[in-house]
């Protein structure tokens, strides 16, 4: 996992450096990679602790928000994504409420009085 993560992180670093018309050394990418995985490990442990504290075995979005409180930019982005999801769910619900129900009713067969 770490090798593929390193490759993806290198691609991101190079793309961002290109946007700024800069180059980034392999050593810098390795340093960023190391910090990234240490941060990911710390966040995973914190998420586990938050879910355990809540007597749950499942990590919830609120747990992720709590972990992200130390990173205001990340927290802001997560809140934005959560808000967009809520709006999307509302739109879908509204759209499904607006769809008219079928007006076709099944007719019951009349029994003949001959029975």
């Amino acid at each position: 996992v770490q090798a593929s993560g390193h490759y993806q992180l290198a691609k991101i670093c190079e793309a961002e450096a290109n946007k700024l018309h800069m180059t980034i050394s392999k050593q810098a990418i390795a340093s960023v990679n190391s910090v990234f995985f240490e941060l990911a490990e710390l966040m995973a442990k914190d998420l586990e602790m938050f879910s355990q504290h809540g007597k749950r075995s499942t990590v919830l979005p609120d747990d992720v928000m709590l972990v992200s409180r130390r990173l205001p930019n990340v927290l802001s982005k997560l809140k934005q994504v959560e808000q967009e999801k809520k709006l999307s769910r509302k739109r879908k619900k509204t759209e499904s409420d607006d769809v008219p129900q079928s007006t076709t009713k099944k007719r019951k067969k009349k029994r003949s009085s001959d029975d």
Side-chain angles (χ1 to χ4, degrees):
V1 172
Q2 194 166 1
S4 65
H6 178 76
Y7 174 77
Q8 292 299 323
L9 191 62
K11 290 292 182 189
I12 292 168
C13 289
E14 289 169 0
E16 292 301 314
N18 285 337
K19 286 180 189 177
L20 300 170
H21 306 290
M22 299 175 70
T23 57
I24 186 165
S25 70
K26 290 181 181 182
Q27 294 86 0
I29 291 172
S31 296
V32 170
N33 185 57
S34 177
V35 169
F36 174 80
F37 278 96
E38 285 181 29
L39 180 61
E41 189 176 314
L42 176 65
M43 289 179 78
K45 288 177 183 176
D46 284 350
L47 287 169
E48 182 181 8
M49 290 174 54
F50 286 138
S51 65
Q52 285 177 352
H53 178 73
K55 296 179 179 34
R56 295 177 274 107
S57 59
T58 304
V59 173
L60 300 177
D62 286 344
D63 298 325
V64 178
M65 297 286 193
L66 283 170
V67 167
S68 302
R69 72 190 184 284
R70 297 180 198 157
L71 305 166
N73 293 341
V74 173
L75 182 59
S76 174
K77 184 66 176 173
L78 287 172
K79 286 180 178 180
Q80 179 185 351
V81 168
E82 187 67 24
Q83 194 65 19
E84 289 170 3
K85 283 184 180 181
K86 285 180 184 178
L87 289 173
S88 177
R89 279 187 240 131
K90 273 187 177 179
R91 273 190 239 120
K92 285 181 182 179
K93 185 178 183 322
T94 302
E95 289 171 4
S96 68
D97 289 347
D98 291 344
V99 175
Q101 299 297 322
S102 175
T103 56
T104 308
K105 293 182 181 178
K106 292 183 180 179
R107 295 183 183 174
K108 292 183 179 178
K109 290 185 179 180
K110 292 185 180 180
R111 289 184 150 186
S112 64
S113 56
D114 295 339
D115 289 338

